[in-house]
């Protein structure tokens, strides 16, 4: 069983930055792909970014490309999401997720393990 715990959310002004962290339990973390998703009020949960097991293959949603950076530290069992140039439309609960495969996937159904989420609020 894999457990994921997100942290780093908060309130920030538009144009600011936040770094989210997701700490994973289990020795298999380093061989699993990871993803960040978000759900804004009244909207469906959507993909933000994914990273493969080694960190050399990443994906970004068009809405965050060029502003967000995903990375991972397999020694610390942690994946990060550096969020820059934040906009009010980035306001959402951000979730990290993992799948028992080293390869990226873009579907939420491909990720059986989820964290509890962390709130990000961007004020205008």
């Amino acid at each position: 069983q894999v457990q994921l715990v997100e942290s780093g959310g908060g309130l920030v002004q538009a144009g600011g930055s936040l770094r989210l962290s997701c700490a994973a339990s289990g020795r298999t973390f380093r061989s699993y792909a990871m993803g960040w998703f978000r759900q804004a009020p009244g909207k469906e949960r959507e993909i933000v970014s994914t990273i493969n097991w080694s960190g050399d293959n990443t994906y970004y949603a068009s809405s965050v490309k060029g502003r967000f950076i995903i990375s991972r530290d397999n020694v610390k069992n942690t994946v990060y999401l550096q969020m820059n140039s934040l906009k009010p439309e980035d306001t959402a609960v951000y979730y990290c997720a993992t799948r028992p495969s080293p390869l990226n996937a873009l579907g939420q159904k491909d990720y059986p393990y989820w964290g509890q989420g962390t709130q990000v609020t961007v004020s205008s």
Side-chain angles (χ1 to χ4, degrees), residues 17-39:
S17 298
L18 281 174
R19 188 175 82 155
L20 304 183
S21 299
C22 175
S25 64
R27 294 175 293 177
T28 53
F29 168 83
R30 62 194 64 187
S31 63
Y32 285 6
M34 302 290 295
W36 284 99
F37 298 79
R38 67 185 182 186
Q39 186 167 21

Side-chain angles (χ1 to χ4, degrees), residues 19-23 29 32-36 49-60 68-74 76-83 96:
R19 188 175 82 155
L20 304 183
S21 299
C22 175
F29 168 83
Y32 285 6
M34 302 290 295
W36 284 99
S49 181
T50 66
I51 189 167
N52 71 333
W53 72 279
S54 61
D56 62 357
N57 189 303
T58 58
Y59 165 84
Y60 296 95
F68 290 13
I69 301 171
I70 191 171
S71 62
R72 65 189 297 159
D73 185 332
N74 286 345
K76 295 182 178 179
N77 279 11
T78 302
V79 64
Y80 305 97
L81 186 67
Q82 178 66 44
M83 305 187 295
C96 73

Side-chain angles (χ1 to χ4, degrees), residues 7 10 13 53 55-56 58 62 75 95 101:
S7 61
Q13 289 188 333
W53 72 279
D56 62 357
T58 58
S62 58
V75 174
Y95 299 89
S101 167

Side-chain angles (χ1 to χ4, degrees), residues 11-15 86-89 91 121-124:
L11 174 64
V12 64
Q13 289 188 333
L86 283 161
K87 305 175 181 179
E89 50 263 45
T91 294
T121 303
V122 184
S123 63
S124 56

